[in-house]
Amino acid sequence: MGGLTGYGAYIPYYRLERTRIAGVLGGGGGSGTRSVAAFDEDTTSMAVAAGRSALAGLTGDGRPPGRESVRQLFFATTVPAYADKTNATAVHAALRLPGDALAVDMAGAVRSGVGALVAAAQAPVPAMAVLADIRTGLPGGADERDGGDGAAAFVFGGADSGSGPDSDLPVLAEIIGQGSASAEFLDRWRVPGAAASRVWEERFGEQVYGPLAEAAMADALKQAGLVPGQVDHLIVAGLPARSVSRTVRVAGVPPEAVADNLLASIGNAGTAQPGILLADVLDRAGPDETVLLVVLADGATALALRTTEALVRHRQPQPVAAQIAAGSAALDYATFLSWRGFLDREPPRRPDPDPVAAPPAERRADWKFGFIAARCTRCGTRSLPPGRVCQKCHAADEMTPEPLADVPATVTTYTVDRLAYTPSPPVLMVVLDFDGGGRMRCQLTDAAEDEARIGLRVEMTFRRLATAAGVHNYFWKARPLRGAAGEGKDE
């Protein structure tokens, strides 16, 4: 298997306090919070966010070899934005991966997440696995309460690529053992078009998962040449809570080695949970430590990893813990239900948005998905959007592409639009001045109305502008550039 060369996780900004559920429904709440994807987020946009984080830490400075090295992309989710259309291609375009890189979906079941990890690790060329999920259940149910939203991405050097500690893509962790056990049994299911999953009695699942988990762990540890007491970090991920608890009890690892499952802070992100928990452990692990990742979903899969000295120098830019700390728990339950489609609210009395037309979207794909501007080679002016003619000196065909997705900007003016069409009014429109030149108008997201102000420092994020006629219109928005405390920064 190829070694792990980069990783990243994405936790949405919004949190729902579980007590808010009980405050409305009279029960079904609990303590803690769950992460919530915003109205303009879906699994594709969150996959892009996680992928950007993984690529940023790939070489430690964000420069090549980075995205140019990735030759395959595996995207796993249970709730793809499109059916009968590849969602991974939008992720591929937004991450600006090479045009000849393979991009495919692995969708439908939670097990697809660990499947994408294994497929990327076993690929003969450098490959990326991206896991994203939005967990939704019926109002007042356990899936709504215990679920969470998020994404994670992992880049592997390629089994035949020769990547190693002395190469341009240093290995952060090696996979030293793998075990899987598959079985057909009825545990969790959802037919196409259903709003929520159904679950069989968990005591039955516990009886079935137990032997499968033990077999997978035994195989992985045997291949790695380890005994349970030598495991430094144990991660057990899965939606069947009783089976997860049982696996932790019988694993035989020291109690201090059991990783936090983050259920109290962000909930269970389903397909993405193994990746988020692994990223959290990698944020804190030291060199030459062993990690045992166990995933329970329609069977069991165990991966044993050993970290290297390079991990300390190539961690993701923003740790999972910092993203959790930066979240906002101000989301109310009614807004959550409207974002999830369980509560219809009166839309603005404006015409619905027009669907995206395929030909112009294809012609402007570099700008629309990759957020690639242009800089004039004669006078140095940056143009947004890119064009053949310089906006300042009017030189023609003397422009060079310049990616802006990772360039911060400053709000120079703004307006609050209460009439424009949006699923979550009002629309915050801002005019940005980018560091190094260039100005554009766009929406501000992940921000309350009183956060919009002149001088606000922002970063760019890939989001869904609107959906019309079944077509998702993706583009880039600005979001406040927040510190660990969650406060926006001013210039």
Side-chain angles (χ1 to χ4, degrees):
M1 288 188 173
L4 180 69
T5 57
Y7 75 96
Y10 173 71
I11 311 298
Y13 173 64
Y14 292 101
R15 308 282 184 271
L16 175 66
E17 293 181 344
R18 295 186 176 104
T19 54
R20 292 178 181 261
I21 301 175
V24 174
L25 302 181
S31 60
T33 60
R34 59 155 292 168
S35 58
V36 178
F39 72 97
D40 57 355
E41 293 186 292
D42 58 19
T43 52
T44 296
S45 67
M46 292 194 299
V48 172
R52 291 175 65 194
S53 182
L55 292 174
L58 201 57
T59 57
D61 54 12
R63 296 180 298 177
R67 68 187 76 248
E68 296 83 359
S69 68
V70 178
R71 314 309 301 177
Q72 294 183 357
L73 170 66
F74 302 96
F75 176 38
T77 182
T78 62
V79 281
Y82 283 116
D84 204 19
K85 182 192 183 308
T86 303
N87 299 272
T89 53
V91 180
H92 169 278
L95 295 180
R96 309 195 309 276
L97 299 182
D100 58 353
L102 173 70
V104 295
D105 290 349
M106 303 179 69
V110 170
R111 191 172 176 82
S112 64
V114 71
L117 279 175
V118 172
Q122 292 181 340
V125 294
M128 173 184 283
V130 188
L131 292 58
D133 217 344
I134 293 177
R135 304 304 303 177
T136 299
L138 295 176
D143 279 354
E144 178 191 63
R145 177 194 66 217
D146 299 332
D149 307 334
F154 300 87
V155 181
F156 293 88
D160 299 336
S161 67
S163 61
D166 299 324
S167 74
D168 291 327
L169 291 175
V171 171
L172 314 184
E174 299 174 318
I175 297 181
I176 56 177
Q178 175 193 347
S180 287
S182 299
E184 168 55 27
F185 60 101
L186 199 60
D187 171 44
R188 170 181 290 270
W189 71 98
R190 174 169 54 88
V191 297
S197 300
R198 300 183 65 182
V199 183
W200 203 264
E201 214 286 326
E202 275 213 44
R203 287 176 294 182
F204 164 75
E206 184 178 4
Q207 295 175 2
V208 179
Y209 275 116
L212 298 175
E214 292 179 35
M217 287 190 294
D219 287 347
L221 291 174
K222 181 178 180 180
Q223 290 183 24
L226 299 173
V227 297
Q230 295 175 306
V231 173
D232 296 306
H233 305 276
L234 172 67
I235 305 169
V236 183
L239 291 172
R242 290 176 63 102
S243 301
V244 167
S245 298
R246 180 190 184 280
T247 301
V248 171
R249 291 196 305 269
V250 304
V253 305
E256 62 272 15
V258 179
D260 183 1
N261 57 21
L262 304 181
L263 296 181
S265 55
I266 63 173
N268 191 319
T271 309
Q273 191 202 23
I276 293 173
L277 298 185
L278 178 57
D280 182 50
V281 167
L282 293 175
D283 287 339
R284 298 177 282 102
D288 198 30
E289 293 185 355
T290 56
V291 181
L292 181 61
L293 171 65
V294 185
V295 183
L296 306 183
D298 298 316
T301 298
L303 295 175
L305 302 92
R306 178 176 285 115
T307 62
T308 71
E309 293 183 356
L311 175 62
V312 178
R313 302 189 305 273
H314 298 275
R315 303 190 199 271
Q316 65 170 328
Q318 189 174 20
V320 171
Q323 295 185 55
I324 293 174
S328 169
L331 185 68
D332 62 76
Y333 187 50
T335 300
F336 170 80
L337 291 177
S338 68
W339 287 358
R340 285 297 192 264
F342 289 114
L343 179 63
D344 289 333
R345 61 183 300 171
E346 176 74 15
R349 295 181 179 178
R350 290 291 183 271
D352 290 345
D354 294 326
V356 176
E362 191 277 333
R363 289 194 298 268
R364 305 286 281 182
D366 286 347
W367 166 249
K368 180 176 177 58
F369 291 93
F371 202 54
I372 299 177
R375 186 179 288 276
C376 179
T377 57
R378 179 179 295 183
C379 69
T381 299
R382 183 187 280 164
S383 296
L384 290 77
R388 293 178 56 189
V389 179
C390 176
Q391 299 172 355
K392 183 176 182 180
C393 72
H394 309 299
D397 296 327
E398 296 191 31
M399 311 294 283
T400 183
E402 187 165 332
L404 283 185
D406 299 323
V407 177
T410 302
V411 173
T412 188
T413 188
Y414 70 93
T415 186
V416 179
D417 192 336
R418 305 184 189 280
L419 299 177
Y421 180 90
T422 176
S424 185
V427 174
L428 304 179
M429 297 299 301
V430 294
V431 175
L432 305 179
D433 282 343
F434 283 86
D435 293 1
R439 174 173 287 188
M440 72 169 288
R441 181 175 67 97
C442 68
Q443 292 185 31
L444 180 69
T445 191
D446 288 357
E449 181 179 336
D450 58 2
E451 290 185 88
R453 59 184 180 271
I454 295 173
L456 179 69
R457 295 286 286 169
V458 298
E459 59 185 350
M460 302 308 293
T461 179
F462 187 73
R463 296 297 174 96
R464 189 177 61 198
L465 296 184
T467 299
V471 179
H472 303 308
N473 186 10
Y474 292 107
F475 191 56
W476 296 79
K477 296 183 180 182
R479 60 178 288 182
L481 190 59
R482 293 183 169 93
E487 296 181 354
K489 298 179 179 179
D490 288 336
E491 186 178 51

